[in-house]
Amino acid sequence: MRRASTFLAKIVRYCTITRCRPINVGPDSGETIFALSSGQGKCGVAVIRVSGPASTLALRSLTGPSQSFPTPRKALLRHIIHPHSEEILDRGLVFWFPGPHSFTGEDSAEFHIHGGPAVISGVLGALGSLPSLRPAEAGEFTRRAFHAGKLDLTEVEGLGDLIHAETEAQRRQALRQMAGDLGRLYHDWSHHLTRCLAHVEAFIDFSEDELIEDGVLNQVDESLSQLLQEIEEHLSDERKGERLRSGVQVVIAGATNAGKSSLLNLLCQRPAAIVSPVAGTTRDVVETCVDIGGFPVLLSDTAGLRDTLDSVEREGVRRARERVQQADLALVVVDSLQLPRDPRHIVAHLDGQLGEVLSGQQASQLSCLLVLNKSDLLSKEQCRSIQSALRESSDLPPACLLSCHTNGGVNGFLSALKNAVQILCGDPLTGGPSLTQARHRAHLMECVRSLTQYRQYRDVDLALAAEGVRLALIGLGRITGRVGAEEILDIIFRDFCIGK
């Protein structure tokens, strides 16, 4: 009986790992907070959010105590008045969200008012004059929602990514994560680990009494092997989700006067870089963000690659080569006027140009597009000859004839660039949910190491093997916020705006 009680205590302790622990928000958990939740600046409608136990007081004070209280989750048109001077500040919609059926899980209210700075300032000042109300800190509404169990950390991060999304693909990925797809995957894995851990602990405590069925450890071995394979497949995504979240690093590289800066200006549709016939005009890295077919791209124009005695230009060349090594995709720009007239030598020449920009190892690992610029200066016969040589070669990366001066061939180039970027980012709506955060990857790698520990000690010391399963379970819990969340909360929530 005593051994059974010990075993049950272990299982209770381990199972609590997978449940959200009640965490006190802190010394200010009894306070009511308020903030402007819509964007700053002049706008047609602004939304001011209030959350906490004094939300009822705030709503009654700013709409008049004699007015009927709003029905939950239904809009009501009211004069917004100052609680002390009784001056009318605005006329707008008010909403009442009683807890726990609100975003934060607390009693909440919203004021939808006109978006002029004076109106917003007046209403915020009126709220600040009430007792027990204070301005919210950055991300505090979402933090309270997390502590109330409304969101796990993956959903919180998805919400943050949605707020900061700048392209369609980023929006799709963030919405999917905010909907809980990623969190459900990790919760399912945690559930499997919990069962395996319970079986291992039961085997340790009761196998000598023959109370455990034969083959229970074999079932655990099979389940953990399958789970380990799933985690490793999840990790071997080539960082597509993280790349989509932060942007694809695309570097424009090549010899001097090939038209790199002209290509940058063409892609960003503005004169971001100086264009000059003088070789070596670009000395430093020029960066700009662009949207390529719904995918975020950070473009870098670099100095022309050549040997030079100029110390400043030499530093620019060093930075250019360094940026190529860090890039996800290289656009190698070649002056098509420098191509050999004999079509039989074109491929060899282009291969040499690639070698100037990329090392042998990089050429096989780095995604690359060849951009043959200045096609407007070629005859039609020369263009056909180049295209024929490119079609016959299977060793070169995709190549495009382009004129940055006349925009000739730009549609074909943009299509090729979009395809290359899409391959690097993947489709956020297909397949399993994407791994989007570096911290997720770090904790999952800890899980892999812990499950490897189980394999290593399974036939040597089953207690140490069980510890490996427990550590893997803790690693997954840290991703969703079930375990050890406090040390990463500040990092996650500090990037939110004040009203979120």
Side-chain angles (χ1 to χ4, degrees):
M1 187 67 181
R2 183 178 179 183
R3 292 180 62 189
S5 300
T6 303
F7 167 68
L8 289 175
K10 288 183 180 180
I11 297 304
V12 169
R13 186 177 77 250
Y14 289 135
C15 287
T16 55
I17 293 173
T18 60
R19 295 200 301 268
C20 187
R21 298 176 179 175
I23 306 173
N24 187 9
V25 178
D28 297 331
S29 58
E31 291 187 328
T32 300
I33 57 174
F34 66 90
L36 175 67
S37 289
S38 52
Q40 299 287 340
K42 295 179 181 179
C43 55
V45 177
V47 178
I48 293 178
R49 175 181 285 170
V50 183
S51 181
S55 296
T56 306
L57 170 66
L59 197 53
R60 288 192 182 279
S61 299
L62 268 69
T63 58
S66 62
Q67 296 290 335
S68 60
F69 202 72
T71 302
R73 290 171 294 281
K74 289 188 177 180
L76 195 63
L77 184 63
R78 284 283 186 266
H79 280 109
I80 311 298
I81 62 174
H82 196 285
H84 302 305
S85 66
E86 297 186 354
E87 176 190 0
I88 296 177
L89 303 174
D90 194 19
R91 191 164 182 257
L93 298 176
V94 295
F95 292 84
W96 168 240
F97 303 98
H101 305 296
S102 67
F103 174 73
T104 61
E106 305 172 319
D107 288 347
S108 299
E110 287 185 2
F111 298 87
H112 292 220
I113 59 177
H114 293 95
V119 176
I120 295 172
S121 177
V123 175
L124 290 175
L127 289 169
S129 69
L130 296 174
S132 301
L133 267 72
R134 65 168 176 83
E137 299 176 0
E140 191 168 0
F141 288 98
T142 307
R143 186 165 185 153
R144 291 190 176 197
F146 165 75
H147 283 298
K150 293 289 184 177
L151 304 169
D152 70 19
L153 282 186
T154 62
E155 292 167 335
V156 168
E157 289 164 331
L159 176 57
D161 289 346
L162 182 63
I163 292 172
H164 294 99
E166 297 180 347
T167 71
E168 284 296 302
Q170 286 179 318
R171 175 185 61 80
R172 295 187 185 107
Q173 177 170 273
L175 273 173
R176 187 174 182 185
Q177 182 168 334
M178 193 180 72
D181 286 14
L182 194 62
R184 280 190 291 273
L185 174 66
Y186 296 153
H187 288 316
D188 288 344
W189 287 350
S190 295
H191 177 69
H192 289 306
L193 282 174
T194 303
R195 291 186 61 189
C196 290
L197 184 58
H199 291 161
V200 173
E201 290 288 355
F203 187 88
I204 292 174
D205 285 349
F206 297 113
S207 61
E208 293 181 1
D209 299 334
E210 299 182 353
L211 298 175
I212 300 299
E213 296 179 2
D214 294 336
V216 64
L217 282 187
N218 292 334
Q219 294 175 10
V220 170
D221 294 343
E222 183 178 347
S223 181
L224 291 182
S225 293
Q226 181 179 351
L227 181 58
L228 181 59
Q229 181 180 352
E230 291 179 12
I231 296 176
E232 289 176 337
E233 289 177 356
H234 188 58
L235 285 168
S236 62
D237 64 342
E238 299 177 343
R239 301 182 183 269
K240 290 183 178 180
E242 295 162 88
R243 190 179 290 122
L244 174 55
R245 179 176 178 268
S246 60
V248 181
Q249 301 282 338
V250 178
V251 63
I252 303 174
T256 56
N257 264 10
K260 300 182 298 299
S261 297
S262 297
L263 180 59
L264 177 75
N265 294 343
L266 174 67
L267 288 171
C268 66
Q269 295 293 292
R270 63 184 178 86
I274 298 173
V275 176
S276 167
V278 178
T281 300
T282 302
R283 300 292 185 93
D284 207 347
V285 177
V286 180
E287 294 183 337
T288 186
C289 296
V290 295
D291 182 337
I292 301 295
F295 294 91
V297 168
L298 178 62
L299 272 176
S300 299
D301 180 28
T302 59
L305 303 178
R306 67 173 180 178
D307 294 328
T308 176
L309 297 177
D310 188 305
S311 60
V312 177
E313 186 178 357
R314 193 162 58 245
E315 174 61 19
V317 171
R318 187 196 66 80
R319 295 186 182 188
R321 295 194 181 280
E322 181 180 64
R323 189 56 60 94
V324 169
Q325 293 174 356
Q326 299 169 349
D328 300 310
L329 173 66
L331 303 180
V332 179
V333 184
V334 177
D335 184 349
S336 57
L337 292 177
Q338 304 298 320
L339 294 176
R341 296 289 180 145
D342 189 340
R344 294 173 297 179
H345 300 152
I346 290 177
V347 172
H349 178 84
L350 291 175
D351 193 53
Q353 291 287 309
L354 286 172
E356 288 291 326
V357 177
L358 313 172
S359 68
Q361 184 180 7
Q362 292 170 342
S364 61
Q365 295 179 349
L366 180 65
S367 296
C368 181
L369 278 180
L370 272 170
V371 183
L372 311 184
N373 191 29
K374 304 183 183 180
S375 63
D376 57 303
L377 301 178
L378 299 176
S379 66
K380 291 183 179 180
E381 181 180 349
Q382 287 176 309
C383 289
R384 285 194 296 268
S385 177
I386 294 172
Q387 290 171 338
S388 176
L390 293 174
R391 283 194 298 268
E392 294 175 0
S393 173
S394 59
D395 298 330
L396 293 176
C400 305
L401 268 173
L402 175 68
S403 171
C404 293
H405 179 65
T406 66
N407 289 348
V410 67
N411 290 334
F413 165 70
L414 288 176
S415 177
L417 178 57
K418 177 186 174 181
N419 290 338
V421 171
Q422 188 170 9
I423 290 172
L424 289 169
C425 292
D427 186 348
L429 297 182
T430 61
S434 301
L435 202 167
T436 61
Q437 301 272 349
R439 76 171 192 92
H440 299 177
R441 187 175 298 278
H443 288 312
L444 287 174
M445 291 175 69
E446 288 178 7
C447 289
V448 170
R449 287 192 290 269
S450 298
L451 292 179
T452 303
Q453 174 180 328
Y454 171 83
R455 284 181 171 180
Q456 181 180 359
Y457 289 102
R458 195 268 198 197
D459 297 323
V460 179
D461 188 330
L462 202 53
L464 286 176
E467 178 69 7
V469 180
R470 187 183 70 83
L471 291 175
L473 194 54
I474 290 175
L476 283 176
R478 284 174 175 159
I479 297 177
T480 59
R482 305 304 193 197
V483 176
E486 288 300 327
E487 67 265 24
I488 58 175
L489 288 183
D490 290 336
I491 298 174
I492 292 175
F493 290 111
R494 72 185 179 193
D495 292 330
F496 277 74
C497 56
I498 298 296
K500 201 65 181 175

